[in-house]
Amino acid sequence: MQIVGYDTGVGVDDDRDPALSLADGGDVTRQSLAPGTDLAYTLGERHCAGAVSGDGHERCPNPSAPYCADHTSKWACARCVGNCDRPLPACREEHAVYLAAFAPAIFKVGVTRSWRLDTRLREQGADRAAHLRTVKDGRIARQIEADIASEVGDRVRVPTKIDGIHRSVDDDAWTALLAEFDPLATYEFDYDLSLTDRPVSETLATGTVRGTQGRVLVLDHAGSAYAVDLRDLVGHEVTDGGTDRNLQSSLGAF
């Protein structure tokens, strides 16, 4: 059995639980990551997760993980700064420019199609956000984003998000940043993780699910809370049964 993907559980159908995708002999099943779910998998070797389609799973033995060059999808807009000719149909849709905040005081600017704004913010695990502008297409949005990014930044990595996942957003810093703009709307998100200490960063699939925030899975295991980047699980072969590895314990375990 291999972990071949994950679903953050946010989107058009918000009744869907976050989940891992598990492939076994070409068949793909969903392992729910709803709060309270008990996971008991031991991680084995990691290699390319292959491809999942309506026909099932295409296995790939290449050692690159989570995906090899043949199975890596490249997002054409990833580093766009608005100097293109709107090559994709989505580029011509109405776009929103936003600011996202991650506790305690990490901020980024981003863009998304207007109808995906709430989904995009929760996919990233933002604690707070502000909708700055609505523009007619992606090219204009990327130009505005590039200008703001020179001061604010446009990327926050998962380890940075985990560092502050147990904390609240610094109100003064967020208010000061918003004072430079005139937001159309602001948002606050609560992921119900109830963390008082920073969870230990680890790659494991054993424990009781406390919850998810974006692609960060928080597990309770042996008296400690662990934060797992779901992308780090993709590609691992797994066997049933909890891990017996010695893991670092959190302060809350003592």
Side-chain angles (χ1 to χ4, degrees), residues 6-11 14 16-20 30 33 116 119 122-125 212-216 230:
Y6 63 88
D7 180 354
T8 61
V10 299
D14 282 332
R16 181 178 73 228
D17 290 335
L20 292 172
R30 285 171 56 88
L33 298 177
R116 289 199 81 250
T119 296
R122 290 185 293 128
E123 283 175 343
Q124 296 179 80
T212 56
Q213 182 166 341
R215 77 183 208 204
V216 177
L230 289 172

Short mmCIF file of all heavy atoms in Angstrom, two decimals, residues 6-11 14 16-20 30 33 116 119 122-125 212-216 230:
data_model
loop_
_atom_site.label_atom_id
_atom_site.label_comp_id
_atom_site.label_asym_id
_atom_site.label_seq_id
_atom_site.Cartn_x
_atom_site.Cartn_y
_atom_site.Cartn_z
N TYR A 6 -3.24 13.53 -1.06
CA TYR A 6 -3.99 13.99 0.10
C TYR A 6 -5.02 15.02 -0.35
O TYR A 6 -4.92 15.61 -1.43
CB TYR A 6 -3.07 14.59 1.17
CG TYR A 6 -2.32 15.82 0.73
CD1 TYR A 6 -2.88 17.10 0.89
CD2 TYR A 6 -1.07 15.74 0.15
CE1 TYR A 6 -2.21 18.23 0.48
CE2 TYR A 6 -0.39 16.86 -0.27
CZ TYR A 6 -0.96 18.11 -0.11
OH TYR A 6 -0.30 19.23 -0.53
N ASP A 7 -6.02 15.23 0.49
CA ASP A 7 -7.09 16.18 0.22
C ASP A 7 -7.26 17.01 1.49
O ASP A 7 -7.46 16.46 2.57
CB ASP A 7 -8.37 15.40 -0.11
CG ASP A 7 -9.57 16.29 -0.40
OD1 ASP A 7 -9.47 17.52 -0.23
OD2 ASP A 7 -10.62 15.73 -0.79
N THR A 8 -7.15 18.34 1.38
CA THR A 8 -7.28 19.19 2.56
C THR A 8 -8.72 19.29 3.05
O THR A 8 -8.97 19.79 4.16
CB THR A 8 -6.75 20.61 2.29
OG1 THR A 8 -7.52 21.19 1.22
CG2 THR A 8 -5.28 20.58 1.91
N GLY A 9 -9.67 18.84 2.23
CA GLY A 9 -11.07 18.83 2.66
C GLY A 9 -11.78 20.15 2.51
O GLY A 9 -12.91 20.30 2.98
N VAL A 10 -11.15 21.13 1.85
CA VAL A 10 -11.84 22.40 1.61
C VAL A 10 -12.07 22.55 0.12
O VAL A 10 -11.31 22.05 -0.71
CB VAL A 10 -11.02 23.61 2.15
CG1 VAL A 10 -10.83 23.48 3.64
CG2 VAL A 10 -9.69 23.74 1.44
N GLY A 11 -13.16 23.24 -0.22
CA GLY A 11 -13.47 23.41 -1.63
C GLY A 11 -14.96 23.53 -1.83
O GLY A 11 -15.71 23.93 -0.94
N ASP A 14 -17.77 21.22 0.99
CA ASP A 14 -17.15 21.34 2.31
C ASP A 14 -17.64 20.29 3.30
O ASP A 14 -17.25 20.31 4.46
CB ASP A 14 -17.37 22.74 2.88
CG ASP A 14 -16.43 23.76 2.27
OD1 ASP A 14 -15.33 23.37 1.85
OD2 ASP A 14 -16.79 24.95 2.20
N ARG A 16 -16.91 17.26 2.79
CA ARG A 16 -15.88 16.24 2.63
C ARG A 16 -14.82 16.36 3.72
O ARG A 16 -14.37 17.46 4.04
CB ARG A 16 -15.25 16.44 1.25
CG ARG A 16 -14.18 15.48 0.86
CD ARG A 16 -13.71 15.79 -0.57
NE ARG A 16 -12.90 17.00 -0.62
CZ ARG A 16 -13.09 17.99 -1.49
NH1 ARG A 16 -14.06 17.95 -2.35
NH2 ARG A 16 -12.29 19.04 -1.51
N ASP A 17 -14.43 15.24 4.29
CA ASP A 17 -13.36 15.24 5.28
C ASP A 17 -12.01 15.39 4.59
O ASP A 17 -11.84 14.93 3.45
CB ASP A 17 -13.33 13.90 6.05
CG ASP A 17 -14.51 13.74 6.98
OD1 ASP A 17 -15.07 14.76 7.42
OD2 ASP A 17 -14.88 12.58 7.27
N PRO A 18 -11.02 15.99 5.27
CA PRO A 18 -9.65 15.86 4.76
C PRO A 18 -9.29 14.38 4.75
O PRO A 18 -9.82 13.59 5.54
CB PRO A 18 -8.81 16.66 5.76
CG PRO A 18 -9.64 16.73 6.99
CD PRO A 18 -11.07 16.71 6.55
N ALA A 19 -8.38 13.99 3.87
CA ALA A 19 -8.11 12.56 3.73
C ALA A 19 -6.76 12.33 3.07
O ALA A 19 -6.22 13.19 2.36
CB ALA A 19 -9.20 11.88 2.90
N LEU A 20 -6.22 11.14 3.30
CA LEU A 20 -5.09 10.61 2.54
C LEU A 20 -5.65 9.70 1.45
O LEU A 20 -6.68 9.05 1.65
CB LEU A 20 -4.16 9.80 3.43
CG LEU A 20 -3.36 10.56 4.49
CD1 LEU A 20 -2.64 9.57 5.40
CD2 LEU A 20 -2.38 11.52 3.85
N ARG A 30 -9.84 6.31 0.22
CA ARG A 30 -9.63 7.50 1.04
C ARG A 30 -9.53 7.09 2.51
O ARG A 30 -10.39 6.38 3.01
CB ARG A 30 -10.77 8.50 0.88
CG ARG A 30 -10.74 9.27 -0.43
CD ARG A 30 -12.03 10.07 -0.60
NE ARG A 30 -12.29 10.97 0.51
CZ ARG A 30 -11.85 12.23 0.60
NH1 ARG A 30 -11.10 12.73 -0.37
NH2 ARG A 30 -12.17 12.99 1.63
N LEU A 33 -9.25 11.91 7.54
CA LEU A 33 -8.44 12.61 8.55
C LEU A 33 -9.34 13.51 9.39
O LEU A 33 -8.90 14.55 9.88
CB LEU A 33 -7.34 13.42 7.87
CG LEU A 33 -6.31 12.64 7.07
CD1 LEU A 33 -5.32 13.59 6.40
CD2 LEU A 33 -5.57 11.63 7.94
N ARG A 116 -12.78 31.36 -5.81
CA ARG A 116 -12.02 30.43 -4.99
C ARG A 116 -11.38 31.09 -3.77
O ARG A 116 -10.61 30.46 -3.06
CB ARG A 116 -10.89 29.78 -5.81
CG ARG A 116 -11.33 28.80 -6.85
CD ARG A 116 -10.16 27.89 -7.28
NE ARG A 116 -9.95 26.80 -6.34
CZ ARG A 116 -8.93 26.66 -5.52
NH1 ARG A 116 -7.96 27.58 -5.49
NH2 ARG A 116 -8.82 25.62 -4.71
N THR A 119 -11.76 29.34 -0.34
CA THR A 119 -11.12 28.01 -0.45
C THR A 119 -9.61 28.13 -0.45
O THR A 119 -8.91 27.39 0.26
CB THR A 119 -11.60 27.31 -1.73
OG1 THR A 119 -13.00 27.07 -1.64
CG2 THR A 119 -10.87 25.99 -1.94
N ARG A 122 -8.13 28.86 3.01
CA ARG A 122 -8.16 27.72 3.93
C ARG A 122 -7.25 26.59 3.46
O ARG A 122 -6.71 25.85 4.29
CB ARG A 122 -9.60 27.25 4.12
CG ARG A 122 -10.43 28.25 4.91
CD ARG A 122 -11.83 27.76 5.23
NE ARG A 122 -12.65 27.63 4.05
CZ ARG A 122 -13.33 26.54 3.71
NH1 ARG A 122 -13.26 25.46 4.47
NH2 ARG A 122 -14.08 26.51 2.63
N GLU A 123 -7.06 26.46 2.14
CA GLU A 123 -6.08 25.48 1.64
C GLU A 123 -4.69 25.78 2.18
O GLU A 123 -3.90 24.87 2.45
CB GLU A 123 -6.02 25.52 0.11
CG GLU A 123 -7.17 24.85 -0.60
CD GLU A 123 -7.10 25.04 -2.10
OE1 GLU A 123 -6.36 25.93 -2.58
OE2 GLU A 123 -7.80 24.30 -2.81
N GLN A 124 -4.38 27.05 2.32
CA GLN A 124 -3.05 27.46 2.79
C GLN A 124 -2.95 27.45 4.32
O GLN A 124 -1.85 27.58 4.86
CB GLN A 124 -2.73 28.87 2.28
CG GLN A 124 -2.61 28.96 0.77
CD GLN A 124 -2.32 30.39 0.33
OE1 GLN A 124 -1.19 30.86 0.39
NE2 GLN A 124 -3.36 31.09 -0.09
N GLY A 125 -4.09 27.33 5.00
CA GLY A 125 -4.07 27.36 6.45
C GLY A 125 -3.90 28.75 7.02
O GLY A 125 -3.35 28.91 8.12
N THR A 212 -6.67 19.40 11.09
CA THR A 212 -5.78 19.84 10.02
C THR A 212 -5.90 21.34 9.86
O THR A 212 -6.96 21.93 10.12
CB THR A 212 -6.12 19.16 8.68
OG1 THR A 212 -7.49 19.41 8.35
CG2 THR A 212 -5.86 17.66 8.72
N GLN A 213 -4.81 21.95 9.44
CA GLN A 213 -4.79 23.37 9.11
C GLN A 213 -4.04 23.50 7.80
O GLN A 213 -2.82 23.37 7.75
CB GLN A 213 -4.12 24.20 10.21
CG GLN A 213 -4.12 25.70 9.92
CD GLN A 213 -3.77 26.54 11.13
OE1 GLN A 213 -3.87 26.09 12.27
NE2 GLN A 213 -3.38 27.78 10.90
N GLY A 214 -4.78 23.71 6.71
CA GLY A 214 -4.15 23.63 5.40
C GLY A 214 -3.65 22.21 5.18
O GLY A 214 -4.39 21.24 5.37
N ARG A 215 -2.38 22.10 4.80
CA ARG A 215 -1.83 20.75 4.58
C ARG A 215 -1.06 20.24 5.79
O ARG A 215 -0.33 19.25 5.70
CB ARG A 215 -0.99 20.72 3.32
CG ARG A 215 0.39 21.31 3.43
CD ARG A 215 1.09 21.28 2.08
NE ARG A 215 2.53 21.20 2.21
CZ ARG A 215 3.40 21.60 1.28
NH1 ARG A 215 2.95 22.09 0.14
NH2 ARG A 215 4.70 21.47 1.47
N VAL A 216 -1.24 20.88 6.95
CA VAL A 216 -0.61 20.43 8.18
C VAL A 216 -1.60 19.56 8.96
O VAL A 216 -2.70 20.01 9.30
CB VAL A 216 -0.14 21.60 9.06
CG1 VAL A 216 0.45 21.10 10.37
CG2 VAL A 216 0.88 22.46 8.31
N LEU A 230 1.45 17.02 5.16
CA LEU A 230 0.85 15.92 4.41
C LEU A 230 1.63 15.60 3.14
O LEU A 230 1.70 14.44 2.73
CB LEU A 230 -0.60 16.26 4.06
CG LEU A 230 -1.59 16.25 5.23
CD1 LEU A 230 -2.94 16.79 4.79
CD2 LEU A 230 -1.73 14.85 5.80
#
